[in-house]
Amino acid sequence: MEVDMENYLPSAHNEDRLDDTVSPDHTDACPPENHTEKVADEDEATIWVKNFPEEKQAGDEVLGPFASEEEWELAKWLIKNVGHNQAEAFLKLPIDRVNPLFSTKNKLLEAIDSLPGGVQWNLHKVQLTGDLMDEDSKPLHEDLELWWRNPVECIRELIGNPVFKDTMRYAPEKLYTDEEGKINTVNEMWTADWWWETQEKLPEGATIAPIILSSDKTRLSQFRGDKSAWPVYLTIGNIAKDVQHQASSHATVLIGYIPVGKFDCFSEKARQAERYRTFHHCMGILTEALIEAGRSGVDMACADGFVRWVWPILAAYVADYPEQCLIACCMENHCPICKVNPGDRGKNTHHCPGMKMDQFTELGLRPVFPPFWARLPFSDIFQSFTPDLLHQLHKGVFKDHLVKWCTNLIGEQELDGRFKSIPSHPGLRHFKNGISEHKAMERVFVGVMAGASRDDRVIRAARAITDFIFLASLQSHTSETLAALSRTLDDFHENKDIFIELEARLPAHFNIPKIHSMMHYVALIRRFGSADGFNSESPERLHIDYAKNAYRASNKKDYTKQMTDWLRRQESVDRFTLYLDWSKNGEIPGPLQQKRGSDENITITNIAHPTPEGESTKTIIRTYQVAKHHPPGLRGIQAGNIIINHGATRFLEAVHTFVSKNGSPIVPQSFDGFDLFKRITLLLPHIPQASPNERQNIVRASPPVPSRGRMPAQPQYLDFALIRTGEKNDKTDGTSLQGLRVAHVRVLFNLPAIYRIQIHHPLAYVEWYTPFSTPDKASGLYTVKPSTRNRHIYAEIITVDRIVRNCHVTPKYNKKKPPSWTSENVVDRCEALHPSPYSDTHMFCLVKLGHNIHT
């Protein structure tokens, strides 16, 4: 069979590129008379009502086939939590209180099936004819099933769902951080280049629905053979990325299961190529509806109550590296994005995207005709792949390569010992067994490696990769952060050869796909938005609901059909639940409202505090929360016990100084009792680049807890913090660290009433460390030491409103870690500490990007 390659390959890769712009006069692209038309002037939820016409028009109870709200709640619970056999057994139990109309499993399922469902499932049978013969010399066959849903109808449901009304955009936007419009901001897809460039190619009045596909084959069973599923997911860039990632929001939908065949009717030589062809054949069927819709547009009712002329266009594809190669039809020793030679992937040089016809074999492309993306309008598959933070950076460049090289350099025992001696910190997994979870390791790795090698290029390369990972993970970017991202990659390439010179990297080259992928990050972020919006962790989380749970609900035979039935019923229940909420309350809470955190539990206080001399007093909003009531075990604790259990050697002297300054003549004694707090929770200011989940910041000051029964003993948790001082420091003046100093928070308490001092805030006993000095040129880390006055520890009592945030510290290691250092004692035994800028993204933005959060 002859195939016309020119007709199947995207025009973006032809030597004589065609103009993708659609003329408004094109017969397939005639706009409607009104590009945007209001569905209902009075009630935007009319779209929602149309999904449930029978219930609304009947005028009866808005409960569909259920007799009461209790019966509906029971049905919902059974569908969501119980398998078919267990539901049957439950309904047959002689419980008088439970007497629903559905007395059997089948009747329950009939009631659920009568609810309006989502987009219907379709079955397409695929027969493979192999190149191996049977005993009768006839070709062997394998029959496969493709289950799929119309992606255009799925997009219609997403863009018209009123749940997403407040998180939806219908046109591209330009954001700037400065009034002059010089510093561009990129975060959501509608702020990135792809949408702007594609919008210019479409007729006036067209609304783009940028399609984001993702696929990932996953195992369904651990002990029952090789059962697997290959889900394909879809969402649209019109919906905010944080909503897309909420599994409970249902903003990402399952549109198909690619069949996972055995391909044993093919010879070993032909098997791999046939897997490629079968994937593209199935994806071609699944995406066929997008061809015409992407050429002519489709009228769709949107979440805000308007009908728009929507053009669903494939914009991005989220997949790991092997699947990217499968989609791009290239071999795995080639880049699926650019034309780099496999032997040059370790170089810091850019290569043109796409391909030329006479380079088909040279570029390592596989003979797949036609690839599913060949006829999709305005789509360039080679420029559709997104950054993969999980597999490329966290698990790939960092864990599989950098950690391995550094282990080869300093030895596994030494590296494990350093991780084990890292002090505890809120939210940081303790390295009890040494090397462990990669994301936790990234937060301390620069501090762990500092001082480990005499050649500074080792720590420079480690720092560059760590900085690259943190920068690439930001939730919002500016032209400045993207320039910083590019610089860190340059720094790595300038220093990477040290691993080959010291024989830590074998073989002696860096032709590694995941290292090469870092070169594309800046361009891809500009094209699609911040990389966190396309993390392959999201499809892996979706596998739990859409694959693994669905499989467990089946009888493990002909399971794909049963999985689609199970998913359809789950969707029907979810849709009907939202409809009932709307019918009762007149509105539906959006996904961001449903996810509302506990920020509202933080007490907000307005505090006027003095600033450095010569400046006027400012009123600053300071937010923190302490327990309303002191824990029973921390009430009336004698000062002598506080000194011992908290290591607060200068506690009495510090309290005496504090009360004296505030006019109290009472001298504190060791038997005086104090009510203590275990922790204080701070609400950090919003930083666009940092996750809002990191705004709640904890500083602990809890004493050791002895073992009780089966409960093991707990060590003391005494955290470090950044404290606002207003001190002058020429090393930090004019920076985000101006007026801040590191201190060890050992005690959080309320001053007893006996001292007759009115204090509006709880107090903290802190031990100061030396001011920030010039950071180390190789590691970029500051070094601080315990501060002394008159040869004694410099300790002070402060009000907790001066605490800005917690501050993780790592010990300053030499080439070898002393054997006696442990996580519990290292702070007291080491001579100096490194305040870490990597404890969380918020701290990274403060120290590395200069975000001022305390003035």
Side-chain angles (χ1 to χ4, degrees):
M1 175 180 176
E2 294 184 359
V3 180
D4 183 0
M5 289 286 292
E6 292 291 335
N7 290 333
Y8 284 117
L9 291 172
S11 57
H13 304 301
N14 291 337
E15 194 67 27
D16 298 322
R17 178 168 178 170
L18 299 176
D19 185 5
D20 278 338
T21 305
V22 175
S23 169
D25 299 329
H26 193 287
T27 55
D28 291 338
C30 294
E33 292 184 2
N34 295 314
H35 302 317
T36 305
E37 179 183 355
K38 195 75 167 68
V39 174
D41 292 331
E42 298 181 357
D43 189 358
E44 293 179 348
T46 301
I47 304 171
W48 187 249
V49 176
K50 288 183 178 179
N51 289 324
F52 298 89
E54 295 179 0
E55 281 73 14
K56 195 66 179 177
Q57 293 174 7
D60 300 325
E61 286 270 341
V62 192
L63 290 170
F66 304 101
S68 65
E69 187 169 354
E70 291 77 13
E71 185 173 294
W72 154 244
E73 291 294 335
L74 174 60
K76 181 169 70 171
W77 184 85
L78 290 172
I79 289 294
K80 285 288 186 182
N81 299 283
V82 179
H84 290 177
N85 293 335
Q86 294 86 346
E88 181 79 20
F90 177 86
L91 292 171
K92 291 182 178 180
L93 290 175
I95 304 175
D96 293 335
R97 185 177 177 183
V98 181
N99 189 24
L101 294 179
F102 46 89
S103 56
T104 64
K105 171 201 68 175
N106 290 336
K107 291 183 178 180
L108 168 64
L109 297 181
E110 288 176 5
I112 297 297
D113 290 342
S114 68
L115 295 175
V119 180
Q120 70 176 9
W121 284 91
N122 305 294
L123 170 62
H124 181 87
K125 294 186 177 182
V126 180
Q127 186 180 72
L128 303 180
T129 301
D131 61 347
L132 297 179
M133 303 295 174
D134 61 13
E135 297 176 351
D136 299 326
S137 298
K138 294 182 179 180
L140 294 174
H141 296 276
E142 182 177 4
D143 293 323
L144 303 176
E145 290 185 349
L146 167 67
W147 288 90
W148 62 283
R149 296 198 280 189
N150 188 327
V152 175
E153 295 306 313
C154 291
I155 293 168
R156 188 188 301 278
E157 287 217 339
L158 287 174
I159 206 167
N161 192 334
V163 171
F164 306 131
K165 181 180 67 172
D166 297 328
T167 62
M168 186 92 69
R169 297 292 188 277
Y170 305 99
E173 300 176 3
K174 288 287 187 183
L175 302 179
Y176 299 93
T177 61
D178 60 327
E179 294 182 357
E180 294 78 17
K182 295 181 179 179
I183 304 177
N184 187 31
T185 297
V186 178
N187 40 54
E188 300 286 354
M189 181 175 259
W190 54 77
T191 67
D193 292 344
W194 180 91
W195 200 329
W196 281 98
E197 294 170 358
T198 308
Q199 191 74 52
E200 292 176 356
K201 301 173 184 177
L202 300 183
E204 182 181 353
T207 297
I208 298 177
I211 299 170
I212 304 170
L213 292 181
S214 57
S215 58
D216 182 33
K217 186 163 63 174
T218 183
R219 291 189 61 181
L220 298 175
S221 59
Q222 298 294 330
F223 310 106
R224 290 175 177 253
D226 57 350
K227 302 293 176 60
S228 300
W230 203 334
V232 181
Y233 303 107
L234 178 148
T235 187
I236 52 177
N238 312 79
I239 301 173
K241 59 186 178 177
D242 54 348
V243 176
Q244 294 175 17
H245 296 164
Q246 293 180 37
S248 60
S249 72
H250 305 292
T252 300
V253 297
L254 177 71
I255 62 169
Y257 287 114
I258 300 295
V260 182
K262 297 182 182 295
F263 296 90
D264 49 10
C265 60
F266 293 91
S267 62
E268 186 173 344
K269 183 179 180 179
R271 198 167 293 164
Q272 184 69 2
E274 193 58 36
R275 285 194 175 99
Y276 270 64
R277 294 191 187 103
T278 302
F279 172 83
H280 280 269
H281 174 72
C282 293
M283 285 295 295
I285 295 169
L286 198 153
T287 58
E288 185 175 3
L290 297 175
I291 298 173
E292 182 60 29
R295 287 175 177 166
S296 307
V298 181
D299 284 351
M300 293 187 182
C302 298
D304 60 356
F306 287 88
V307 171
R308 288 180 172 85
W309 190 28
V310 176
W311 293 58
I313 298 173
L314 175 60
Y317 204 121
V318 181
D320 58 19
Y321 178 74
E323 196 139 332
Q324 287 181 359
C325 293
L326 168 65
I327 296 161
C329 306
C330 74
M331 298 182 182
E332 293 190 13
N333 64 341
H334 286 69
C335 176
I337 295 177
C338 72
K339 298 185 292 187
V340 62
N341 186 287
D344 295 333
R345 288 176 296 176
K347 297 179 181 179
N348 191 22
T349 53
H350 291 271
H351 297 265
C352 297
M355 60 160 286
K356 295 180 180 179
M357 292 303 302
D358 58 353
Q359 296 177 317
F360 193 90
T361 303
E362 180 183 340
L363 293 176
L365 295 174
R366 295 183 181 273
V368 177
F369 311 118
F372 79 88
W373 36 262
R375 297 170 60 202
L376 294 179
F378 307 103
S379 296
D380 182 349
I381 198 64
F382 301 102
Q383 293 296 290
S384 295
F385 297 119
T386 60
D388 184 355
L389 295 173
L390 176 64
H391 296 100
Q392 290 174 345
L393 299 187
H394 298 307
K395 289 184 176 181
V397 175
F398 179 76
K399 188 175 183 181
D400 293 343
H401 299 297
L402 179 62
V403 173
K404 183 178 180 180
W405 301 338
C406 292
T407 302
N408 293 339
L409 280 178
I410 70 174
E412 185 175 355
Q413 184 176 359
E414 174 67 18
L415 191 61
D416 272 350
R418 291 180 177 229
F419 275 110
K420 291 178 182 178
S421 64
I422 294 295
S424 172
H425 184 72
L428 178 65
R429 181 177 297 182
H430 177 49
F431 301 97
K432 182 178 180 181
N433 299 314
I435 294 176
S436 61
E437 200 269 333
H438 47 274
K439 289 186 180 179
M441 293 167 62
E442 291 166 358
R443 296 165 63 179
V444 300
F445 196 72
V446 174
V448 164
M449 285 300 299
S453 174
R454 293 178 181 176
D455 196 313
D456 284 348
R457 287 180 293 171
V458 172
I459 186 61
R460 288 181 187 275
R463 169 191 171 189
I465 286 181
T466 306
D467 284 353
F468 187 96
I469 292 173
F470 271 80
L471 286 167
S473 303
L474 296 179
Q475 296 201 348
S476 182
H477 281 277
T478 66
S479 48
E480 294 175 338
T481 62
L482 291 176
L485 186 64
S486 183
R487 286 195 300 271
T488 59
L489 183 59
D490 293 341
D491 291 342
F492 166 70
H493 282 286
E494 288 177 6
N495 294 280
K496 68 179 187 295
D497 288 341
I498 185 60
F499 295 112
I500 293 177
E501 294 175 18
L502 299 178
E503 299 183 347
R505 159 64 181 167
L506 293 173
H509 66 76
F510 292 96
N511 298 328
I512 302 170
K514 292 172 182 176
I515 287 181
H516 171 72
S517 70
M518 298 165 69
M519 185 169 296
H520 297 300
Y521 268 60
V522 171
L524 293 178
I525 290 171
R526 290 187 185 278
R527 183 170 176 80
F528 295 121
S530 55
D532 67 294
F534 305 96
N535 200 338
S536 59
E537 287 182 85
S538 297
E540 293 192 1
R541 286 195 297 267
L542 291 172
H543 286 342
I544 297 174
D545 286 334
Y546 293 128
K548 300 182 187 297
N549 288 345
Y551 175 74
R552 295 189 188 103
S554 72
N555 62 9
K556 315 304 183 290
K557 298 176 182 179
D558 190 23
Y559 55 86
T560 308
K561 170 65 168 64
Q562 297 176 57
M563 290 167 67
T564 60
D565 289 339
W566 183 84
L567 288 166
R568 174 176 50 79
R569 289 167 179 144
Q570 298 292 313
E571 290 176 346
S572 295
V573 168
D574 292 333
R575 288 161 57 89
F576 197 57
T577 298
L578 288 174
Y579 173 71
L580 292 180
D581 289 342
W582 171 80
S583 65
K584 291 179 182 177
N585 305 317
E587 62 178 2
I588 303 170
L592 295 180
Q593 294 173 279
Q594 296 172 2
K595 195 185 176 183
R596 180 184 300 170
S598 56
D599 289 356
E600 60 191 28
N601 296 326
I602 302 296
T603 301
I604 298 178
T605 56
N606 296 314
I607 304 152
H609 63 81
T611 55
E613 294 182 6
E615 297 183 17
S616 59
T617 300
K618 297 180 180 179
T619 299
I620 291 182
I621 297 178
R622 191 62 55 194
T623 57
Y624 67 84
Q625 177 75 50
V626 293
K628 291 183 179 180
H629 305 286
H630 295 274
L634 296 181
R635 297 174 187 170
I637 306 300
Q638 292 186 351
N641 290 334
I642 292 175
I643 293 171
I644 295 172
N645 292 331
H646 291 255
T649 56
R650 305 286 294 173
F651 182 72
L652 282 176
E653 291 84 352
V655 172
H656 187 201
T657 300
F658 180 83
V659 297
S660 297
K661 286 183 177 180
N662 285 274
S664 175
I666 300 176
V667 178
Q669 302 295 327
S670 61
F671 49 77
D672 286 353
F674 294 82
D675 295 338
L676 310 183
F677 298 101
K678 284 186 176 181
R679 63 176 62 188
I680 178 174
T681 302
L682 307 160
L683 182 63
L684 300 179
H686 170 66
I687 292 180
Q689 288 87 346
S691 169
N693 297 330
E694 295 178 347
R695 291 189 64 195
Q696 287 205 16
N697 192 261
I698 295 173
V699 177
R700 303 168 300 179
S702 59
V705 178
S707 60
R708 286 186 180 179
R710 298 178 61 190
M711 296 294 293
Q714 296 291 329
Q716 61 181 200
Y717 295 109
L718 309 174
D719 293 328
F720 285 75
L722 294 179
I723 310 296
R724 185 168 25 83
T725 67
E727 297 174 341
K728 290 290 186 180
N729 182 350
D730 58 359
K731 299 295 190 299
T732 58
D733 285 349
T735 74
S736 57
L737 294 176
Q738 178 177 339
L740 297 182
R741 191 167 174 178
V742 176
H744 198 182
V745 181
R746 289 188 175 271
V747 189
L748 295 168
F749 65 100
N750 273 333
L751 193 68
I754 190 175
Y755 291 100
R756 303 170 189 169
I757 298 175
Q758 186 176 5
I759 303 295
H760 298 291
H761 303 284
L763 303 177
Y765 167 84
V766 301
E767 294 177 353
W768 292 104
Y769 276 64
T770 53
F772 289 106
S773 58
T774 304
D776 180 72
K777 291 183 179 180
S779 67
L781 299 177
Y782 290 95
T783 301
V784 296
K785 298 180 179 181
S787 184
T788 60
R789 283 193 174 181
N790 300 322
R791 298 183 179 180
H792 292 290
I793 293 173
Y794 178 22
E796 188 179 4
I797 302 297
I798 65 170
T799 53
V800 298
D801 62 292
R802 289 177 57 187
I803 300 176
V804 174
R805 58 155 298 143
N806 62 29
C807 177
H808 190 218
V809 294
T810 56
K812 184 179 180 181
Y813 299 101
N814 293 316
K815 191 169 183 181
K816 293 291 182 182
K817 179 193 77 70
S820 62
W821 285 9
T822 67
S823 177
E824 287 78 20
N825 66 26
V826 68
V827 167
D828 297 322
R829 295 194 177 189
C830 67
E831 296 182 357
L833 300 171
H834 295 306
S836 174
Y838 304 105
S839 57
D840 53 60
T841 311
H842 208 281
M843 186 69 165
F844 182 84
C845 293
L846 168 67
V847 179
K848 294 282 189 173
L849 301 182
H851 279 273
N852 197 327
I853 67 171
H854 62 284
T855 59

